[in-house]
Amino acid sequence: MEEKEEITLNRLGTQPVGKLMLSLGIPMIISMILQAVYTSLTAHSYQIWQKTAKRLLML
Protein backbone atom coordinates (compact mmCIF):
# COMPACT_ATOMS: atom_id res chain seq x y z
CA MET A 1 0.00 0.00 0.00
CA GLU A 2 2.79 2.41 0.91
CA GLU A 3 4.57 1.76 -2.39
CA LYS A 4 1.44 2.61 -4.38
CA GLU A 5 1.02 5.90 -2.51
CA GLU A 6 4.64 6.80 -3.23
CA ILE A 7 4.17 6.20 -6.96
CA THR A 8 1.03 8.34 -6.97
CA LEU A 9 2.76 11.19 -5.14
CA ASN A 10 5.74 11.16 -7.50
CA ARG A 11 3.79 11.18 -10.76
CA LEU A 12 4.46 14.90 -11.24
CA GLY A 13 8.15 14.17 -11.33
CA THR A 14 8.07 10.96 -13.33
CA GLN A 15 5.30 11.13 -15.97
CA PRO A 16 5.80 12.84 -19.33
CA VAL A 17 4.62 16.44 -19.51
CA GLY A 18 2.11 15.76 -22.29
CA LYS A 19 0.38 13.04 -20.30
CA LEU A 20 0.29 15.26 -17.22
CA MET A 21 -1.18 18.15 -19.23
CA LEU A 22 -3.99 15.91 -20.43
CA SER A 23 -4.68 14.17 -17.14
CA LEU A 24 -4.65 17.38 -15.08
CA GLY A 25 -5.66 20.01 -17.64
CA ILE A 26 -8.74 18.44 -19.22
CA PRO A 27 -10.73 18.22 -15.94
CA MET A 28 -9.86 21.85 -15.17
CA ILE A 29 -10.93 23.00 -18.63
CA ILE A 30 -14.21 21.10 -18.34
CA SER A 31 -14.92 22.61 -14.92
CA MET A 32 -14.20 26.14 -16.21
CA ILE A 33 -16.54 25.62 -19.18
CA LEU A 34 -19.29 24.33 -16.89
CA GLN A 35 -18.80 27.28 -14.55
CA ALA A 36 -19.05 29.74 -17.46
CA VAL A 37 -22.24 28.08 -18.74
CA TYR A 38 -23.76 28.11 -15.26
CA THR A 39 -22.88 31.78 -14.78
CA SER A 40 -24.31 32.84 -18.13
CA LEU A 41 -27.50 30.83 -17.58
CA THR A 42 -27.90 32.32 -14.12
CA ALA A 43 -27.42 35.84 -15.46
CA HIS A 44 -29.92 35.20 -18.26
CA SER A 45 -32.54 33.78 -15.90
CA TYR A 46 -32.02 36.75 -13.55
CA GLN A 47 -32.73 39.14 -16.44
CA ILE A 48 -35.91 37.24 -17.28
CA TRP A 49 -36.95 37.33 -13.62
CA GLN A 50 -36.36 41.08 -13.49
CA LYS A 51 -38.51 41.70 -16.58
CA THR A 52 -41.28 39.50 -15.17
CA ALA A 53 -41.18 41.31 -11.82
CA LYS A 54 -41.42 44.71 -13.53
CA ARG A 55 -44.42 43.54 -15.54
CA LEU A 56 -46.13 42.22 -12.42
CA LEU A 57 -45.53 45.45 -10.54
CA MET A 58 -47.04 47.49 -13.40
CA LEU A 59 -50.33 45.53 -13.21
Side-chain angles (χ1 to χ4, degrees):
M1 180 78 176
E2 189 175 312
E3 189 175 305
K4 186 176 182 180
E5 288 179 24
E6 187 175 323
I7 291 170
T8 303
L9 292 175
N10 290 331
R11 77 177 184 169
L12 292 177
T14 57
Q15 285 186 351
V17 173
K19 187 173 181 180
L20 284 172
M21 293 286 283
L22 288 175
S23 67
L24 299 174
I26 297 295
M28 282 189 261
I29 291 169
I30 291 171
S31 69
M32 285 187 260
I33 290 170
L34 289 174
Q35 182 67 35
V37 168
Y38 174 79
T39 301
S40 62
L41 288 176
T42 303
H44 181 68
S45 64
Y46 180 73
Q47 289 174 352
I48 291 172
W49 181 82
Q50 269 187 326
K51 289 177 185 176
T52 305
K54 285 180 183 177
R55 288 182 192 146
L56 289 175
L57 290 175
M58 295 184 124
L59 291 178

Tab-separated table of all heavy atoms in Angstrom:
chain	number	residue	atom	x	y	z
A	1	MET	N	0.834	-1.199	0.000
A	1	MET	CA	0.000	0.000	0.000
A	1	MET	C	0.876	1.259	0.000
A	1	MET	O	0.613	2.192	-0.710
A	1	MET	CB	-0.916	-0.050	1.237
A	1	MET	CG	-1.820	1.130	1.366
A	1	MET	SD	-3.209	0.953	0.243
A	1	MET	CE	-4.142	2.362	0.669
A	2	GLU	N	1.907	1.247	0.802
A	2	GLU	CA	2.788	2.409	0.909
A	2	GLU	C	3.515	2.677	-0.407
A	2	GLU	O	3.717	3.822	-0.796
A	2	GLU	CB	3.795	2.185	2.035
A	2	GLU	CG	4.613	3.412	2.369
A	2	GLU	CD	5.494	3.160	3.572
A	2	GLU	OE1	4.978	2.652	4.574
A	2	GLU	OE2	6.682	3.463	3.469
A	3	GLU	N	3.880	1.622	-1.111
A	3	GLU	CA	4.575	1.764	-2.386
A	3	GLU	C	3.662	2.402	-3.429
A	3	GLU	O	4.092	3.248	-4.216
A	3	GLU	CB	5.037	0.391	-2.872
A	3	GLU	CG	5.954	0.449	-4.062
A	3	GLU	CD	6.474	-0.932	-4.401
A	3	GLU	OE1	7.047	-1.580	-3.515
A	3	GLU	OE2	6.288	-1.337	-5.555
A	4	LYS	N	2.388	2.044	-3.441
A	4	LYS	CA	1.435	2.608	-4.383
A	4	LYS	C	1.247	4.101	-4.118
A	4	LYS	O	1.161	4.896	-5.043
A	4	LYS	CB	0.101	1.878	-4.290
A	4	LYS	CG	-0.890	2.295	-5.333
A	4	LYS	CD	-2.148	1.467	-5.260
A	4	LYS	CE	-3.110	1.886	-6.348
A	4	LYS	NZ	-4.345	1.116	-6.313
A	5	GLU	N	1.164	4.493	-2.858
A	5	GLU	CA	1.024	5.905	-2.508
A	5	GLU	C	2.243	6.692	-2.967
A	5	GLU	O	2.112	7.818	-3.451
A	5	GLU	CB	0.834	6.065	-1.005
A	5	GLU	CG	-0.523	5.627	-0.503
A	5	GLU	CD	-0.661	5.780	0.994
A	5	GLU	OE1	0.062	6.599	1.574
A	5	GLU	OE2	-1.501	5.067	1.575
A	6	GLU	N	3.420	6.112	-2.835
A	6	GLU	CA	4.645	6.801	-3.232
A	6	GLU	C	4.664	7.026	-4.739
A	6	GLU	O	5.059	8.089	-5.201
A	6	GLU	CB	5.865	5.972	-2.810
A	6	GLU	CG	7.177	6.689	-3.037
A	6	GLU	CD	8.332	5.877	-2.491
A	6	GLU	OE1	8.178	5.248	-1.445
A	6	GLU	OE2	9.386	5.895	-3.150
A	7	ILE	N	4.219	6.051	-5.517
A	7	ILE	CA	4.170	6.200	-6.964
A	7	ILE	C	3.180	7.295	-7.345
A	7	ILE	O	3.447	8.120	-8.207
A	7	ILE	CB	3.797	4.858	-7.640
A	7	ILE	CG1	4.942	3.860	-7.471
A	7	ILE	CG2	3.491	5.060	-9.116
A	7	ILE	CD1	4.599	2.450	-7.891
A	8	THR	N	2.036	7.333	-6.688
A	8	THR	CA	1.027	8.343	-6.973
A	8	THR	C	1.549	9.736	-6.637
A	8	THR	O	1.337	10.679	-7.388
A	8	THR	CB	-0.253	8.068	-6.166
A	8	THR	OG1	-0.710	6.752	-6.482
A	8	THR	CG2	-1.336	9.052	-6.508
A	9	LEU	N	2.247	9.884	-5.538
A	9	LEU	CA	2.762	11.185	-5.136
A	9	LEU	C	3.861	11.674	-6.067
A	9	LEU	O	4.018	12.870	-6.265
A	9	LEU	CB	3.293	11.117	-3.700
A	9	LEU	CG	2.233	10.895	-2.608
A	9	LEU	CD1	2.919	10.733	-1.260
A	9	LEU	CD2	1.258	12.042	-2.569
A	10	ASN	N	4.611	10.769	-6.657
A	10	ASN	CA	5.739	11.158	-7.498
A	10	ASN	C	5.388	11.259	-8.972
A	10	ASN	O	6.278	11.420	-9.798
A	10	ASN	CB	6.888	10.158	-7.319
A	10	ASN	CG	7.520	10.284	-5.956
A	10	ASN	OD1	7.511	11.360	-5.376
A	10	ASN	ND2	8.059	9.193	-5.452
A	11	ARG	N	4.120	11.169	-9.338
A	11	ARG	CA	3.786	11.182	-10.757
A	11	ARG	C	4.113	12.520	-11.411
A	11	ARG	O	4.393	12.585	-12.594
A	11	ARG	CB	2.339	10.797	-10.986
A	11	ARG	CG	1.332	11.870	-10.684
A	11	ARG	CD	-0.050	11.396	-11.015
A	11	ARG	NE	-0.977	12.482	-10.794
A	11	ARG	CZ	-2.216	12.470	-11.183
A	11	ARG	NH1	-2.682	11.424	-11.799
A	11	ARG	NH2	-2.992	13.488	-10.940
A	12	LEU	N	4.105	13.607	-10.652
A	12	LEU	CA	4.458	14.898	-11.239
A	12	LEU	C	5.929	14.950	-11.650
A	12	LEU	O	6.295	15.677	-12.559
A	12	LEU	CB	4.151	16.029	-10.262
A	12	LEU	CG	2.677	16.284	-9.978
A	12	LEU	CD1	2.528	17.377	-8.933
A	12	LEU	CD2	1.929	16.646	-11.230
A	13	GLY	N	6.738	14.174	-10.987
A	13	GLY	CA	8.153	14.169	-11.326
A	13	GLY	C	8.560	13.056	-12.263
A	13	GLY	O	9.679	13.065	-12.766
A	14	THR	N	7.671	12.109	-12.527
A	14	THR	CA	8.073	10.956	-13.334
A	14	THR	C	7.314	10.819	-14.645
A	14	THR	O	7.858	10.284	-15.604
A	14	THR	CB	7.874	9.650	-12.535
A	14	THR	OG1	6.519	9.549	-12.122
A	14	THR	CG2	8.780	9.637	-11.314
A	15	GLN	N	6.069	11.293	-14.733
A	15	GLN	CA	5.298	11.128	-15.966
A	15	GLN	C	5.693	12.178	-16.995
A	15	GLN	O	6.122	13.282	-16.640
A	15	GLN	CB	3.800	11.241	-15.684
A	15	GLN	CG	3.215	10.037	-15.025
A	15	GLN	CD	1.702	10.136	-14.900
A	15	GLN	OE1	1.115	11.176	-15.153
A	15	GLN	NE2	1.086	9.042	-14.492
A	16	PRO	N	5.522	11.854	-18.273
A	16	PRO	CA	5.801	12.840	-19.326
A	16	PRO	C	4.877	14.047	-19.216
A	16	PRO	O	3.735	13.934	-18.762
A	16	PRO	CB	5.520	12.075	-20.621
A	16	PRO	CG	5.447	10.639	-20.264
A	16	PRO	CD	5.132	10.564	-18.811
A	17	VAL	N	5.376	15.192	-19.652
A	17	VAL	CA	4.625	16.440	-19.511
A	17	VAL	C	3.306	16.387	-20.283
A	17	VAL	O	2.279	16.835	-19.788
A	17	VAL	CB	5.480	17.643	-19.981
A	17	VAL	CG1	4.668	18.921	-19.993
A	17	VAL	CG2	6.696	17.790	-19.097
A	18	GLY	N	3.328	15.822	-21.490
A	18	GLY	CA	2.111	15.755	-22.293
A	18	GLY	C	1.006	14.977	-21.598
A	18	GLY	O	-0.162	15.387	-21.598
A	19	LYS	N	1.372	13.854	-21.001
A	19	LYS	CA	0.383	13.041	-20.296
A	19	LYS	C	-0.146	13.781	-19.072
A	19	LYS	O	-1.340	13.729	-18.763
A	19	LYS	CB	1.006	11.714	-19.887
A	19	LYS	CG	0.014	10.742	-19.315
A	19	LYS	CD	0.632	9.381	-19.071
A	19	LYS	CE	-0.411	8.437	-18.521
A	19	LYS	NZ	0.123	7.111	-18.274
A	20	LEU	N	0.728	14.480	-18.375
A	20	LEU	CA	0.289	15.262	-17.216
A	20	LEU	C	-0.640	16.393	-17.627
A	20	LEU	O	-1.631	16.664	-16.951
A	20	LEU	CB	1.496	15.837	-16.475
A	20	LEU	CG	2.287	14.865	-15.615
A	20	LEU	CD1	3.549	15.529	-15.103
A	20	LEU	CD2	1.443	14.364	-14.475
A	21	MET	N	-0.321	17.061	-18.754
A	21	MET	CA	-1.178	18.153	-19.229
A	21	MET	C	-2.579	17.649	-19.519
A	21	MET	O	-3.564	18.304	-19.189
A	21	MET	CB	-0.576	18.779	-20.493
A	21	MET	CG	0.726	19.502	-20.252
A	21	MET	SD	0.504	21.056	-19.434
A	21	MET	CE	-0.077	22.040	-20.773
A	22	LEU	N	-2.671	16.471	-20.131
A	22	LEU	CA	-3.988	15.911	-20.434
A	22	LEU	C	-4.706	15.458	-19.175
A	22	LEU	O	-5.885	15.761	-18.975
A	22	LEU	CB	-3.857	14.743	-21.408
A	22	LEU	CG	-3.495	15.117	-22.842
A	22	LEU	CD1	-3.284	13.861	-23.670
A	22	LEU	CD2	-4.561	15.988	-23.454
A	23	SER	N	-4.014	14.744	-18.314
A	23	SER	CA	-4.685	14.174	-17.141
A	23	SER	C	-5.059	15.234	-16.108
A	23	SER	O	-6.022	15.063	-15.367
A	23	SER	CB	-3.811	13.102	-16.489
A	23	SER	OG	-2.648	13.663	-15.937
A	24	LEU	N	-4.336	16.320	-16.045
A	24	LEU	CA	-4.646	17.376	-15.081
A	24	LEU	C	-5.370	18.561	-15.715
A	24	LEU	O	-6.166	19.233	-15.064
A	24	LEU	CB	-3.367	17.870	-14.402
A	24	LEU	CG	-2.592	16.833	-13.597
A	24	LEU	CD1	-1.290	17.422	-13.102
A	24	LEU	CD2	-3.417	16.315	-12.442
A	25	GLY	N	-5.095	18.829	-16.984
A	25	GLY	CA	-5.663	20.005	-17.638
A	25	GLY	C	-7.088	19.833	-18.107
A	25	GLY	O	-7.906	20.739	-17.976
A	26	ILE	N	-7.405	18.669	-18.675
A	26	ILE	CA	-8.744	18.442	-19.216
A	26	ILE	C	-9.828	18.601	-18.147
A	26	ILE	O	-10.819	19.301	-18.380
A	26	ILE	CB	-8.830	17.059	-19.905
A	26	ILE	CG1	-7.876	16.982	-21.101
A	26	ILE	CG2	-10.251	16.736	-20.327
A	26	ILE	CD1	-8.197	17.907	-22.237
A	27	PRO	N	-9.690	18.000	-16.971
A	27	PRO	CA	-10.729	18.221	-15.944
A	27	PRO	C	-10.879	19.693	-15.542
A	27	PRO	O	-12.002	20.169	-15.309
A	27	PRO	CB	-10.249	17.385	-14.752
A	27	PRO	CG	-9.375	16.349	-15.355
A	27	PRO	CD	-8.720	17.004	-16.530
A	28	MET	N	-9.776	20.425	-15.508
A	28	MET	CA	-9.864	21.849	-15.166
A	28	MET	C	-10.583	22.634	-16.251
A	28	MET	O	-11.406	23.511	-15.956
A	28	MET	CB	-8.462	22.428	-14.952
A	28	MET	CG	-7.862	22.081	-13.623
A	28	MET	SD	-6.355	22.974	-13.336
A	28	MET	CE	-5.159	21.727	-13.785
A	29	ILE	N	-10.284	22.321	-17.515
A	29	ILE	CA	-10.929	23.005	-18.628
A	29	ILE	C	-12.427	22.722	-18.618
A	29	ILE	O	-13.249	23.628	-18.788
A	29	ILE	CB	-10.292	22.585	-19.963
A	29	ILE	CG1	-8.868	23.136	-20.048
A	29	ILE	CG2	-11.123	23.049	-21.151
A	29	ILE	CD1	-8.050	22.574	-21.190
A	30	ILE	N	-12.804	21.466	-18.393
A	30	ILE	CA	-14.213	21.100	-18.339
A	30	ILE	C	-14.921	21.837	-17.211
A	30	ILE	O	-16.027	22.366	-17.390
A	30	ILE	CB	-14.375	19.576	-18.196
A	30	ILE	CG1	-13.935	18.885	-19.487
A	30	ILE	CG2	-15.812	19.197	-17.850
A	30	ILE	CD1	-13.841	17.378	-19.388
A	31	SER	N	-14.285	21.916	-16.052
A	31	SER	CA	-14.920	22.612	-14.925
A	31	SER	C	-15.065	24.104	-15.201
A	31	SER	O	-16.077	24.708	-14.829
A	31	SER	CB	-14.145	22.380	-13.634
A	31	SER	OG	-12.899	23.034	-13.672
A	32	MET	N	-14.087	24.721	-15.880
A	32	MET	CA	-14.203	26.141	-16.213
A	32	MET	C	-15.318	26.387	-17.219
A	32	MET	O	-16.056	27.380	-17.113
A	32	MET	CB	-12.878	26.662	-16.753
A	32	MET	CG	-11.818	26.856	-15.682
A	32	MET	SD	-10.351	27.647	-16.327
A	32	MET	CE	-9.296	26.238	-16.536
A	33	ILE	N	-15.465	25.475	-18.199
A	33	ILE	CA	-16.541	25.620	-19.177
A	33	ILE	C	-17.895	25.491	-18.492
A	33	ILE	O	-18.810	26.287	-18.744
A	33	ILE	CB	-16.387	24.583	-20.305
A	33	ILE	CG1	-15.176	24.932	-21.174
A	33	ILE	CG2	-17.652	24.492	-21.159
A	33	ILE	CD1	-14.795	23.857	-22.170
A	34	LEU	N	-18.030	24.504	-17.610
A	34	LEU	CA	-19.291	24.326	-16.890
A	34	LEU	C	-19.608	25.532	-16.013
A	34	LEU	O	-20.761	25.969	-15.930
A	34	LEU	CB	-19.243	23.054	-16.044
A	34	LEU	CG	-19.275	21.745	-16.818
A	34	LEU	CD1	-19.081	20.561	-15.875
A	34	LEU	CD2	-20.562	21.606	-17.594
A	35	GLN	N	-18.600	26.094	-15.381
A	35	GLN	CA	-18.803	27.284	-14.550
A	35	GLN	C	-19.259	28.465	-15.392
A	35	GLN	O	-20.155	29.217	-15.005
A	35	GLN	CB	-17.516	27.635	-13.799
A	35	GLN	CG	-17.655	28.825	-12.878
A	35	GLN	CD	-18.576	28.545	-11.714
A	35	GLN	OE1	-18.618	27.451	-11.194
A	35	GLN	NE2	-19.324	29.548	-11.306
A	36	ALA	N	-18.663	28.638	-16.577
A	36	ALA	CA	-19.052	29.738	-17.462
A	36	ALA	C	-20.486	29.563	-17.945
A	36	ALA	O	-21.255	30.527	-17.994
A	36	ALA	CB	-18.095	29.815	-18.650
A	37	VAL	N	-20.863	28.338	-18.300
A	37	VAL	CA	-22.236	28.078	-18.743
A	37	VAL	C	-23.215	28.349	-17.606
A	37	VAL	O	-24.253	28.992	-17.804
A	37	VAL	CB	-22.372	26.625	-19.261
A	37	VAL	CG1	-23.826	26.243	-19.458
A	37	VAL	CG2	-21.592	26.451	-20.556
A	38	TYR	N	-22.889	27.879	-16.412
A	38	TYR	CA	-23.762	28.111	-15.258
A	38	TYR	C	-23.925	29.607	-14.985
A	38	TYR	O	-25.031	30.092	-14.758
A	38	TYR	CB	-23.184	27.413	-14.025
A	38	TYR	CG	-23.939	27.709	-12.764
A	38	TYR	CD1	-25.128	27.064	-12.481
A	38	TYR	CD2	-23.468	28.663	-11.852
A	38	TYR	CE1	-25.844	27.336	-11.332
A	38	TYR	CE2	-24.168	28.950	-10.708
A	38	TYR	CZ	-25.352	28.280	-10.442
A	38	TYR	OH	-26.042	28.576	-9.305
A	39	THR	N	-22.836	30.344	-15.047
A	39	THR	CA	-22.881	31.779	-14.781
A	39	THR	C	-23.728	32.497	-15.822
A	39	THR	O	-24.551	33.352	-15.481
A	39	THR	CB	-21.456	32.363	-14.762
A	39	THR	OG1	-20.709	31.695	-13.752
A	39	THR	CG2	-21.462	33.850	-14.486
A	40	SER	N	-23.534	32.157	-17.091
A	40	SER	CA	-24.305	32.837	-18.129
A	40	SER	C	-25.784	32.469	-18.049
A	40	SER	O	-26.645	33.319	-18.261
A	40	SER	CB	-23.739	32.539	-19.513
A	40	SER	OG	-23.811	31.167	-19.786
A	41	LEU	N	-26.100	31.220	-17.730
A	41	LEU	CA	-27.498	30.833	-17.582
A	41	LEU	C	-28.140	31.516	-16.376
A	41	LEU	O	-29.299	31.935	-16.434
A	41	LEU	CB	-27.630	29.315	-17.442
A	41	LEU	CG	-27.382	28.512	-18.713
A	41	LEU	CD1	-27.437	27.023	-18.401
A	41	LEU	CD2	-28.370	28.872	-19.788
A	42	THR	N	-27.391	31.645	-15.308
A	42	THR	CA	-27.896	32.318	-14.122
A	42	THR	C	-28.164	33.795	-14.422
A	42	THR	O	-29.200	34.331	-14.039
A	42	THR	CB	-26.899	32.192	-12.963
A	42	THR	OG1	-26.649	30.812	-12.729
A	42	THR	CG2	-27.427	32.822	-11.702
A	43	ALA	N	-27.243	34.435	-15.121
A	43	ALA	CA	-27.418	35.844	-15.463
A	43	ALA	C	-28.626	36.015	-16.378
A	43	ALA	O	-29.423	36.951	-16.212
A	43	ALA	CB	-26.164	36.382	-16.133
A	44	HIS	N	-28.785	35.116	-17.330
A	44	HIS	CA	-29.919	35.203	-18.258
A	44	HIS	C	-31.245	35.005	-17.518
A	44	HIS	O	-32.205	35.742	-17.749
A	44	HIS	CB	-29.768	34.161	-19.365
A	44	HIS	CG	-30.876	34.192	-20.363
A	44	HIS	ND1	-31.058	35.247	-21.234
A	44	HIS	CD2	-31.869	33.312	-20.622
A	44	HIS	CE1	-32.122	35.008	-21.978
A	44	HIS	NE2	-32.628	33.832	-21.632
A	45	SER	N	-31.298	34.017	-16.631
A	45	SER	CA	-32.543	33.776	-15.901
A	45	SER	C	-32.849	34.940	-14.947
A	45	SER	O	-34.006	35.271	-14.717
A	45	SER	CB	-32.483	32.456	-15.134
A	45	SER	OG	-31.497	32.493	-14.138
A	46	TYR	N	-31.806	35.580	-14.422
A	46	TYR	CA	-32.018	36.753	-13.555
A	46	TYR	C	-32.632	37.897	-14.355
A	46	TYR	O	-33.528	38.590	-13.872
A	46	TYR	CB	-30.701	37.187	-12.921
A	46	TYR	CG	-30.840	38.385	-12.018
A	46	TYR	CD1	-31.456	38.272	-10.777
A	46	TYR	CD2	-30.378	39.633	-12.418
A	46	TYR	CE1	-31.602	39.378	-9.946
A	46	TYR	CE2	-30.513	40.735	-11.600
A	46	TYR	CZ	-31.119	40.607	-10.368
A	46	TYR	OH	-31.266	41.685	-9.567
A	47	GLN	N	-32.169	38.087	-15.591
A	47	GLN	CA	-32.732	39.143	-16.440
A	47	GLN	C	-34.195	38.859	-16.747
A	47	GLN	O	-35.027	39.763	-16.730
A	47	GLN	CB	-31.938	39.261	-17.735
A	47	GLN	CG	-30.573	39.857	-17.556
A	47	GLN	CD	-29.746	39.824	-18.827
A	47	GLN	OE1	-30.147	39.214	-19.812
A	47	GLN	NE2	-28.591	40.465	-18.799
A	48	ILE	N	-34.517	37.615	-17.022
A	48	ILE	CA	-35.909	37.242	-17.284
A	48	ILE	C	-36.752	37.487	-16.040
A	48	ILE	O	-37.863	38.016	-16.114
A	48	ILE	CB	-36.001	35.768	-17.741
A	48	ILE	CG1	-35.379	35.628	-19.118
A	48	ILE	CG2	-37.446	35.289	-17.748
A	48	ILE	CD1	-35.253	34.199	-19.585
A	49	TRP	N	-36.215	37.126	-14.882
A	49	TRP	CA	-36.947	37.331	-13.625
A	49	TRP	C	-37.202	38.812	-13.386
A	49	TRP	O	-38.282	39.213	-12.946
A	49	TRP	CB	-36.150	36.735	-12.466
A	49	TRP	CG	-36.837	36.882	-11.158
A	49	TRP	CD1	-37.812	36.096	-10.656
A	49	TRP	CD2	-36.611	37.908	-10.188
A	49	TRP	NE1	-38.209	36.560	-9.428
A	49	TRP	CE2	-37.481	37.677	-9.119
A	49	TRP	CE3	-35.754	39.003	-10.130
A	49	TRP	CZ2	-37.522	38.495	-8.008
A	49	TRP	CZ3	-35.797	39.825	-9.016
A	49	TRP	CH2	-36.676	39.564	-7.971
A	50	GLN	N	-36.203	39.640	-13.672
A	50	GLN	CA	-36.357	41.084	-13.487
A	50	GLN	C	-37.473	41.635	-14.388
A	50	GLN	O	-38.298	42.428	-13.944
A	50	GLN	CB	-35.058	41.810	-13.818
A	50	GLN	CG	-34.147	41.998	-12.642
A	50	GLN	CD	-32.959	42.871	-13.004
A	50	GLN	OE1	-32.462	42.822	-14.133
A	50	GLN	NE2	-32.499	43.653	-12.059
A	51	LYS	N	-37.479	41.227	-15.651
A	51	LYS	CA	-38.511	41.700	-16.575
A	51	LYS	C	-39.893	41.252	-16.108
A	51	LYS	O	-40.859	42.020	-16.166
A	51	LYS	CB	-38.234	41.176	-17.983
A	51	LYS	CG	-37.040	41.818	-18.643
A	51	LYS	CD	-36.780	41.205	-20.010
A	51	LYS	CE	-35.511	41.766	-20.617
A	51	LYS	NZ	-35.192	41.130	-21.899
A	52	THR	N	-39.999	40.022	-15.655
A	52	THR	CA	-41.277	39.501	-15.172
A	52	THR	C	-41.736	40.277	-13.936
A	52	THR	O	-42.916	40.628	-13.814
A	52	THR	CB	-41.162	38.003	-14.841
A	52	THR	OG1	-40.663	37.317	-15.985
A	52	THR	CG2	-42.488	37.417	-14.442
A	53	ALA	N	-40.819	40.561	-13.030
A	53	ALA	CA	-41.176	41.307	-11.816
A	53	ALA	C	-41.647	42.715	-12.164
A	53	ALA	O	-42.616	43.212	-11.591
A	53	ALA	CB	-39.976	41.362	-10.874
A	54	LYS	N	-40.999	43.368	-13.126
A	54	LYS	CA	-41.423	44.713	-13.533
A	54	LYS	C	-42.823	44.669	-14.125
A	54	LYS	O	-43.649	45.543	-13.855
A	54	LYS	CB	-40.440	45.295	-14.552
A	54	LYS	CG	-39.147	45.750	-13.921
A	54	LYS	CD	-38.204	46.327	-14.975
A	54	LYS	CE	-36.879	46.703	-14.358
A	54	LYS	NZ	-35.918	47.200	-15.351
A	55	ARG	N	-43.087	43.657	-14.949
A	55	ARG	CA	-44.422	43.535	-15.538
A	55	ARG	C	-45.482	43.314	-14.469
A	55	ARG	O	-46.574	43.876	-14.534
A	55	ARG	CB	-44.459	42.389	-16.548
A	55	ARG	CG	-43.724	42.668	-17.815
A	55	ARG	CD	-43.850	41.524	-18.776
A	55	ARG	NE	-42.901	41.698	-19.860
A	55	ARG	CZ	-42.291	40.715	-20.481
A	55	ARG	NH1	-42.525	39.455	-20.132
A	55	ARG	NH2	-41.465	40.959	-21.439
A	56	LEU	N	-45.170	42.486	-13.484
A	56	LEU	CA	-46.132	42.217	-12.422
A	56	LEU	C	-46.386	43.447	-11.571
A	56	LEU	O	-47.516	43.679	-11.099
A	56	LEU	CB	-45.650	41.070	-11.545
A	56	LEU	CG	-45.694	39.680	-12.185
A	56	LEU	CD1	-45.060	38.654	-11.247
A	56	LEU	CD2	-47.119	39.273	-12.494
A	57	LEU	N	-45.355	44.250	-11.352
A	57	LEU	CA	-45.530	45.451	-10.542
A	57	LEU	C	-46.334	46.511	-11.282
A	57	LEU	O	-46.975	47.360	-10.655
A	57	LEU	CB	-44.168	46.010	-10.129
A	57	LEU	CG	-43.405	45.159	-9.104
A	57	LEU	CD1	-42.020	45.748	-8.876
A	57	LEU	CD2	-44.173	45.109	-7.794
A	58	MET	N	-46.303	46.508	-12.618
A	58	MET	CA	-47.042	47.487	-13.399
A	58	MET	C	-48.510	47.146	-13.465
A	58	MET	O	-49.322	47.993	-13.814
A	58	MET	CB	-46.455	47.609	-14.797
A	58	MET	CG	-45.052	48.158	-14.810
A	58	MET	SD	-44.519	48.363	-16.493
A	58	MET	CE	-44.108	50.084	-16.461
A	59	LEU	N	-48.908	45.918	-13.148
A	59	LEU	CA	-50.328	45.532	-13.214
A	59	LEU	C	-51.121	46.192	-12.158
A	59	LEU	O	-51.234	46.643	-11.279
A	59	LEU	CB	-50.479	44.021	-13.098
A	59	LEU	CG	-49.959	43.234	-14.285
A	59	LEU	CD1	-50.129	41.736	-14.006
A	59	LEU	CD2	-50.704	43.583	-15.558
